[in-house]
Amino acid sequence: MKTYQYKVKGIDYKVEIAEVEGNIAKVNVNGIPFEVELQKPINAAKHPQMNTPKVVAPQPAAAPKTATPAGATAAAEQPARPQSAGVAVKSPLPGTITDLKVQVGQHVNVGDVVIILEAMKMQNNIEAEVAGEITSITVKPGDTVMEGAVLMTIG
């Protein structure tokens, strides 16, 4: 397993490449597993231990949903989801969504808990920073997110 250290905007990321099959790599970013699609497969002649002849199709149900922090290339990219105008509620740290406390269309006040995010075995309450109506939710329980990922929008 290859391990790399990256610093993106002052944040350290430890990236471990566990396995590469064709253009799909299984990696761990700060201990969080991801499946990422490589733009071009790794050269088998240079890295024979990192490539196998078996081709694997992406498995969306098994792969954690992720949002990529700006400038990080090792994390998987999440398909674009439409966002309504409003104030984005962003993840303050990497972790896993364990509970959504609101629904689209629901009114929230400043300080209301909108999402529970598990990080480092701790449950973190993510609170609304503005009052308004939830216009979009871009995550669901079980999704893995990185710091700065948009979780929902309050309009």
Side-chain angles (χ1 to χ4, degrees):
M1 178 177 338
K2 292 257 188 187
T3 302
Y4 301 92
Q5 291 289 122
Y6 294 102
K7 184 174 271 196
V8 180
K9 293 189 176 184
I11 300 169
D12 289 320
Y13 293 94
K14 179 180 177 186
V15 179
E16 297 173 332
I17 301 175
E19 179 180 348
V20 178
E21 295 178 358
N23 68 332
I24 303 296
K26 293 183 180 180
V27 301
N28 291 312
V29 180
N30 291 349
I32 301 171
F34 296 96
E35 275 191 13
V36 290
E37 184 176 349
L38 303 170
Q39 289 184 344
K40 58 183 178 176
I42 292 176
N43 183 346
K46 284 180 150 180
H47 306 284
Q49 77 282 7
M50 297 289 289
N51 210 337
T52 62
K54 187 168 85 174
V55 176
V56 176
Q59 301 170 346
K65 302 282 185 190
T66 62
T68 307
T73 58
E77 288 191 29
Q78 185 174 5
R81 295 184 191 176
Q83 286 188 358
S84 302
V87 176
V89 176
K90 296 182 180 182
S91 179
L93 65 167
T96 302
I97 304 298
T98 58
D99 195 13
L100 296 174
K101 296 293 189 181
V102 295
Q103 298 174 0
V104 173
Q106 182 175 340
H107 182 79
V108 294
N109 294 313
V110 174
D112 287 353
V113 175
V114 293
I115 289 182
I116 306 294
L117 175 76
E118 181 180 306
M120 298 178 286
K121 308 256 184 213
M122 293 185 63
Q123 301 291 319
N124 298 279
N125 292 336
I126 308 300
E127 299 176 348
E129 295 179 3
V130 296
E133 185 177 303
I134 304 297
T135 56
S136 70
I137 300 176
T138 58
V139 294
K140 64 183 183 316
D143 284 356
T144 302
V145 297
M146 295 302 289
E147 180 178 354
V150 175
L151 307 175
M152 66 178 53
T153 307
I154 302 173

